[in-house]
Amino acid sequence: MTDLSLTPGTATPRARRDIGLKRRYAAETRFRVYGILAIAVGIFFLLALLFSVFSSGYTAFWQTSINLPITFSADIIDPDNERATDPKALTSANYSVLARNALAEKLGIDVNDKANRRELKLVSGMISQGVRTQLRDIVVADPSVIGTTRDVWVLANADVDSAHKGQIDLSVPEGRRKVKDRQVEWMNKLSAEGAMVERFNRGLFTFGASSRPETAGMGVAIIGSFYMMLIVLVLSLPIGVAASIYLEEFAPKNRMTDLIEVNINNLAAVPSIVFGLLGLAVFINFAGLPRSASLVGGLVLTLMTLPTIIIATRAALKAVPPSIRAAALGVGASKMQMVFHHVLPLAAPGILTGTIIGLAQALGETAPLLLIGMVAFVANYPATPMDPATALPVQIYMWANEAERAFVERTSGAIIILLLFLAAMNLAAIILRRRFERRW
């Protein structure tokens, strides 16, 4: 006898219900699996990105240095004894020779023997040319060091630093690498004596722009980004919040306000390079503001951040229950008092979150800053927002275009610093939101 309950089209209602439940459960299971796979793929690529950046950039936070007993010889620094009458005489001395002689003596090389000229050239190649500025600053700050000998940690050349970190394959023939076999012998000797070590690279955070990787840092970029973020915060927050309050609480609902809302939403999706073109035309060509200045960069980023803050603020204002408004008006508060005494404080967590996210987005922008000339080679700290400066993402872009291999690790190191800043800002947004958020 045939079981009709299992034949398609002749199943009982209960059997059809069971089949439907099985299909629904199977669909839910598949959807759950698809979701887990999507999350796993996203996490995989995120971890791959972080690994590639951190694996090639963490070494930038350490710099090879050499401890040298520098003899501040008066015959080299001030041979004519002019420092008493001309203070600038101390700045023009050949301080690189002091470091070269100190390293040569440490390696047992006679600096007065002309036969050692080639080796002295290799010795000079082991020390960064930035030693001239370092020793000059020591002498200018304290002229009494002239005629004395002091231990000074000096930076190694970028190629020596890369070789000491194992980033250069020393097994290849000598002619195919910049670090010579003789220099490798000296590196091993100095390392065994403890005179060549990797120290924390403070210069990465304090130095300005430089064509030499070992003396290149992000100090100017950090100050420039700080000025720009300060300008963005001071301008975009009050303007964005004021515009949001007017549109949400006071503006009449008509075609004009609808048009404004549509355009604000469209501006949030406009490519950032368009704002750079606008800033170039308005702030530089028309207003005559200086190129490469943090002020111009801050103004451009303010225009770019305003739509984000306005949208986030309006969403926060809408999230406040209408009963709050009705209660405030019911006890006799004016509409202005209702907005600023009741609605705005309750919407503050969402406003803060939107503002911080907007600032984080502005901090990572590069394209608009390139158009207003913030790719200038700036070695000195900007004293005011009107002085030439650069920014963190622009500095990363500039280092990525350098031909020197040692700039590769500095590029990744700068990316790590930028990612830490962005993570800190987003973490601050989460903490502030949870700290002030109220559930209804």
Side-chain angles (χ1 to χ4, degrees):
M1 182 180 235
T2 304
D3 188 0
L4 296 178
S5 63
L6 301 179
T7 304
T10 62
T12 63
R14 182 174 180 178
R16 288 196 298 269
R17 185 172 65 250
D18 292 341
I19 293 173
L21 287 175
K22 289 180 181 179
R23 290 176 178 174
R24 188 174 67 184
Y25 292 152
E28 291 177 354
T29 302
R30 287 195 301 270
F31 182 78
R32 189 180 297 111
V33 172
Y34 295 155
I36 294 174
L37 288 176
I39 294 174
V41 171
I43 293 176
F44 170 76
F45 283 108
L46 175 62
L47 293 178
L49 171 65
L50 294 178
F51 176 78
S52 64
V53 172
F54 278 84
S55 62
S56 59
Y58 77 95
T59 54
F61 296 94
W62 305 95
Q63 183 71 31
T64 302
S65 301
I66 306 173
N67 190 309
L68 297 178
I70 303 292
T71 300
F72 294 90
S73 173
D75 295 336
I76 296 177
I77 299 175
D78 189 17
D80 299 325
N81 195 22
E82 297 178 349
R83 64 179 182 271
T85 58
D86 184 11
K88 294 183 179 181
L90 299 178
T91 63
S92 59
N94 192 356
Y95 290 99
S96 300
V97 174
L98 298 179
R100 185 205 65 181
N101 292 345
L103 180 56
E105 292 175 3
K106 195 175 188 68
L107 297 173
I109 301 173
D110 186 2
V111 297
N112 297 317
D113 189 350
K114 294 183 179 180
N116 296 327
R117 183 176 302 175
R118 181 178 181 276
E119 287 201 331
L120 290 177
K121 184 176 180 180
L122 293 177
V123 169
S124 298
M126 295 187 64
I127 306 172
S128 169
Q129 291 301 311
V131 71
R132 181 184 183 279
T133 303
Q134 180 183 2
L135 299 182
R136 181 198 64 193
D137 292 342
I138 293 175
V139 174
V140 171
D142 183 14
S144 64
V145 302
I146 299 177
T148 65
T149 301
R150 295 190 179 185
D151 289 338
V152 181
W153 285 97
V154 301
L155 295 178
N157 181 272
D159 296 322
V160 174
D161 175 57
S162 298
H164 189 260
K165 293 176 179 177
Q167 298 171 350
I168 295 179
D169 186 5
L170 299 178
S171 63
V172 302
E174 182 181 20
R176 296 173 54 188
R177 47 183 163 86
K178 294 183 178 181
V179 181
K180 305 305 179 183
D181 290 338
R182 188 64 170 151
Q183 291 177 321
V184 174
E185 295 177 9
W186 293 335
M187 288 170 53
N188 295 332
K189 181 177 185 298
L190 293 172
S191 298
E193 296 175 354
M196 176 180 284
V197 298
E198 294 179 15
R199 308 174 72 202
F200 181 72
N201 188 9
R202 292 182 298 176
L204 184 64
F205 301 91
T206 59
F207 292 156
S210 175
S211 59
R212 297 182 291 269
E214 68 274 8
T215 57
M218 304 188 64
V220 174
I222 292 175
I223 298 298
S225 292
F226 172 77
Y227 281 146
M228 286 191 295
M229 291 303 101
L230 185 62
I231 292 171
V232 173
L233 180 63
V234 170
L235 294 179
S236 63
L237 181 59
I239 296 175
V241 172
S244 302
I245 292 176
Y246 175 77
L247 291 174
E248 193 63 32
E249 303 292 342
F250 295 97
K253 303 301 179 182
N254 52 35
R255 291 184 178 180
M256 180 60 68
T257 54
D258 291 341
L259 181 63
I260 293 175
E261 293 178 8
V262 170
N263 281 279
I264 290 175
N265 294 329
N266 289 336
L267 285 174
V270 169
S272 59
I273 196 170
V274 176
F275 291 99
L277 292 171
L278 177 63
L280 178 64
V282 176
F283 300 127
I284 295 180
N285 294 339
F286 178 75
L289 294 177
R291 295 176 66 92
S292 305
S294 300
L295 176 62
V296 180
L299 292 175
V300 172
L301 295 180
T302 296
L303 296 178
M304 192 191 71
T305 308
L306 269 175
T308 302
I309 295 180
I310 292 175
I311 293 173
T313 302
R314 294 194 64 187
L317 293 173
K318 288 180 181 179
V320 178
S323 58
I324 299 295
R325 296 174 174 82
L329 295 175
V331 296
S334 65
K335 194 168 186 178
M336 186 74 72
Q337 291 173 328
M338 176 267 292
V339 171
F340 287 95
H341 294 176
H342 300 277
V343 177
L344 190 60
L346 296 177
I351 297 173
L352 290 175
T353 302
T355 301
I356 295 176
I357 292 176
L359 290 175
Q361 178 187 3
L363 179 62
E365 285 295 337
T366 307
L369 302 182
L370 296 178
L371 288 177
I372 60 173
M374 296 201 73
V375 290
F377 188 91
V378 183
N380 299 321
Y381 287 124
T384 67
M386 297 293 290
D387 295 333
T390 184
L392 287 173
V394 177
Q395 187 68 70
I396 294 171
Y397 170 80
M398 294 170 63
W399 282 351
N401 291 328
E402 293 289 345
E404 289 285 341
R405 187 197 179 284
F407 276 111
V408 174
E409 69 169 6
R410 272 169 170 69
T411 301
S412 298
I415 292 174
I416 293 174
I417 295 174
L418 181 60
L419 288 176
L420 291 177
F421 274 118
L422 295 176
M425 296 178 72
N426 283 278
L427 181 61
I430 295 173
I431 293 175
L432 289 174
R433 187 171 186 85
R434 291 186 175 181
R435 172 66 178 82
F436 297 105
E437 186 176 26
R438 294 189 181 184
R439 300 186 181 275
W440 309 101

